[in-house]
Amino acid sequence: MMTSAVGGCHCASFLTTHLYSINMKRNIFITMISLVASLPFTPAFVNAAPGKNTPKRSTLTESLLILRNAWVLDVNKGKFLVGKDVVVRGDKIIKVGKAPRKLDRAKVLDLTGSYIIPGLIDAHVHVTAHRSNNMENTYKHLEYFLRHGITAVRDAGGDGASLLKAQTEIREGRKLGPDVYFSSFMAGDLYYNRGQGLRKEPYSPWEQRLVPGDDLDKAIASAKACGATGVKLYHSFDKDFLPDVVKAAKRHDLKVWGHTMMYPAKPVEVIKAGVQVLSHVSMLETMKTDTLFYRRTTPAAYKDSVIAKLDITEFCREMKAHHAILDATLCVSEKDKWVFPLAKRVHQQGVKIVAGTDQIVDLKRPYPRLVDELDYYIKEAGFTPAEAIRSATIVGAEVLGEEKNRGTIKAGKKADLLVLKNNPLLNIRALEKIEIVIKSGKIVK
């Protein structure tokens, strides 16, 4: 992230012009030094010895993008800072504050009256099929996400080879889309075979069957080698075997993601095993044994009464003690209205919740379902708009293990930014109307 020699002239007009030129150059030099001093790092040319390999001073400004005089969201404080400039060099933010008025070869956008927030993160998507994936569709879905302000996604279970290809081509600039993070999907034998040996084809590094006695380090190493950021522990893990799998993943520096209920491992057992992100608040229904609750013909009022009496105190206490994050996925439960007050109670007890949709992309929709998810958080689960945005930015970055690199607008972080016409802290639906999308310092929309 200079003078030409002039000789043979001694007139007063030349002296005046010459002195003016010197002053102008001195002012430019002072301006450049001021910018350098404000950077979170020292450019290479500052300490480099003169020579043919010394970069020119112009490299400081040739890739600068200055977003001037905007309202800039402080995600952690939940408020906008008024009249700030955001200076971007390459793919990084190098300053938030006031930029110099003039810089050579800098692209300047006057954003007076506009709002800047970090790029959004959907922490639960599915953009590939498990087998026979259509890459054309995958790229269409990823481009849709990016053009609507989602600059990073976590695919919670898909074709790892396709996801690695998409991840690589997007990072190298050959395809358009958000940064892709994905998991290696893992489950026990009961999930795959029901104890009957139904699965005949070989498993892959991104879709594995694990049972006690397996070489877990070998399994996890293969998952990491295929490009996975984490493991997705799905089903058929008990409270005795689950901690072994979690420890193996952490030994190899993979994030540990999984279902809230592991069938048979229960929600509190899942937390205590060390799973870092638990998906689906709806799975808390398994904490109470009530066969009538699961019948399709059971009246909604009865289900509401069962959930209202559900004791989630221990679950919430353990979530906070283990610094675990809940991937609530309200969008997939919107027909089961009892899920909303349950999510509200979890939020009220201080559990950290991330925004994820668990939805297949509908390219005909004018905006992604992530906006609906955040709207549910506010209207149904008691979030403030600032808390909702935080769930789709810095909390999403924590899920990915990328909180040092993204999720807030701060010097040194990746320049994934959205420019909005209206204030999302007043109405989260402002996210439906994005003026500019900036990904890795480049303007997409």
Side-chain angles (χ1 to χ4, degrees):
M1 66 222 343
M2 291 177 62
T3 59
S4 58
V6 180
C9 181
H10 302 282
C11 63
S13 61
F14 168 76
L15 182 59
T16 300
T17 302
H18 189 59
L19 290 173
Y20 177 79
S21 176
I22 291 173
N23 287 332
M24 285 295 291
K25 290 164 189 169
R26 182 193 65 183
N27 291 339
I28 292 173
F29 181 75
I30 291 172
T31 298
M32 297 289 284
I33 291 300
S34 297
L35 178 62
V36 171
S38 70
L39 300 182
F41 54 87
T42 303
F45 69 80
V46 172
N47 295 319
K52 64 179 180 180
N53 294 324
T54 304
K56 297 179 181 179
R57 285 191 174 91
S58 62
T59 60
L60 180 63
T61 59
E62 60 189 12
S63 61
L64 283 179
L65 172 63
I66 301 177
L67 310 175
R68 198 180 292 284
N69 199 34
W71 293 61
V72 177
L73 183 63
D74 184 324
V75 171
N76 291 318
K77 293 183 178 179
K79 66 179 183 179
F80 279 99
L81 308 176
V82 183
K84 298 293 183 181
D85 301 338
V86 179
V87 183
V88 175
R89 183 185 181 208
D91 65 348
K92 292 288 194 299
I93 300 167
I94 62 172
K95 184 176 182 181
V96 179
K98 278 295 179 185
R101 298 306 302 174
K102 293 183 179 180
L103 285 170
D104 292 339
R105 286 184 289 274
K107 182 177 180 62
V108 180
L109 299 180
D110 185 349
L111 298 181
T112 301
S114 295
Y115 300 84
I116 302 178
I117 69 170
L120 301 175
I121 299 171
D122 190 330
H124 196 138
V125 303
H126 296 280
V127 294
T128 68
H130 277 286
R131 303 177 188 84
S132 303
N133 183 62
N134 186 320
M135 284 304 295
E136 182 180 355
N137 287 340
T138 293
Y139 285 127
K140 285 180 180 178
H141 293 171
L142 291 170
E143 184 173 344
Y144 172 91
F145 278 135
L146 182 58
R147 292 196 180 280
H148 289 86
I150 297 172
T151 56
V153 296
R154 178 183 69 129
D155 191 291
D159 180 354
S162 299
L163 290 165
L164 178 60
K165 182 178 180 180
Q167 179 191 80
T168 301
E169 295 201 343
I170 289 170
R171 286 179 178 176
E172 294 179 354
R174 297 196 298 271
K175 294 292 184 179
L176 196 63
D179 288 329
V180 176
Y181 300 81
F182 63 93
S183 64
S184 175
F185 180 96
M186 297 179 174
D189 185 71
L190 182 63
Y191 171 75
Y192 285 111
N193 297 310
R194 303 173 200 167
Q196 303 176 51
L198 302 175
R199 183 76 178 262
K200 302 301 181 184
E201 69 272 19
Y203 297 92
S204 63
W206 54 87
E207 185 186 14
Q208 300 191 44
R209 186 203 68 163
L210 295 181
V211 296
D214 283 347
D215 186 336
L216 295 180
D217 283 302
K218 181 179 179 180
I220 299 298
S222 70
K224 187 169 185 177
C226 82
T229 298
V231 295
K232 170 69 178 291
L233 307 181
Y234 191 80
H235 196 289
S236 305
F237 291 107
D238 62 33
K239 66 182 178 65
D240 297 316
F241 182 46
L242 181 59
D244 294 336
V245 179
V246 171
K247 290 175 184 176
K250 291 181 178 179
R251 279 198 300 271
H252 291 265
D253 294 321
L254 286 184
K255 304 298 288 185
V256 186
W257 308 322
H259 270 174
T260 298
M261 176 71 177
M262 292 286 185
Y263 306 98
K266 298 177 181 178
V268 172
E269 294 169 343
V270 171
I271 304 167
K272 290 182 176 180
V275 175
Q276 295 163 310
V277 180
L278 286 70
S279 293
H280 311 307
V281 68
S282 60
M283 287 185 173
L284 292 180
E285 68 185 14
T286 60
M287 296 173 65
K288 186 172 182 64
T289 302
D290 188 319
T291 55
L292 182 59
F293 184 92
Y294 299 103
R295 295 181 185 176
R296 293 182 180 180
T297 56
T298 299
Y302 178 82
K303 292 187 175 184
D304 291 342
S305 66
V306 170
I307 294 301
K309 298 173 184 176
L310 186 64
D311 185 359
I312 60 171
T313 305
E314 184 183 10
F315 172 82
C316 293
R317 183 176 65 247
E318 293 297 333
M319 286 288 287
K320 290 184 290 183
H322 287 81
H323 305 288
I325 298 173
L326 178 65
D327 168 25
T329 61
L330 297 186
C331 276
V332 294
S333 302
E334 57 192 358
K335 293 182 180 179
D336 296 315
K337 298 300 183 182
W338 57 265
V339 174
F340 294 153
L342 182 57
K344 185 174 184 177
R345 290 170 58 201
V346 173
H347 173 60
Q348 288 173 335
Q349 292 201 33
V351 173
K352 191 175 290 187
I353 297 177
V354 71
T357 57
D358 194 16
Q359 293 278 309
I360 303 299
V361 174
D362 180 354
L363 297 174
K364 296 180 181 179
R365 285 180 60 88
Y367 55 85
R369 290 304 307 272
L370 185 62
V371 180
D372 294 330
E373 185 79 9
L374 299 182
D375 202 32
Y376 283 140
Y377 282 8
I378 295 166
K379 293 180 179 178
E380 305 289 350
F383 283 58
T384 66
E387 289 172 334
I389 292 174
R390 195 175 298 127
S391 74
T393 52
I394 189 59
V395 180
E398 288 182 46
V399 167
L400 303 174
E402 285 286 304
E403 61 269 31
K404 293 182 179 179
N405 301 315
R406 61 172 76 239
T408 59
I409 303 175
K410 185 178 179 182
K413 290 204 172 184
K414 192 170 183 182
D416 289 354
L417 303 165
L418 308 184
V419 179
L420 307 176
K421 182 177 181 181
N422 298 312
N423 187 344
L425 297 185
L426 298 180
N427 185 350
I428 200 66
R429 291 287 175 181
L431 297 176
E432 295 175 12
K433 298 179 180 179
I434 299 172
E435 292 186 320
I436 301 172
V437 176
I438 297 172
K439 166 82 185 309
S440 299
K442 296 180 180 179
I443 296 175
V444 178
K445 173 184 177 182

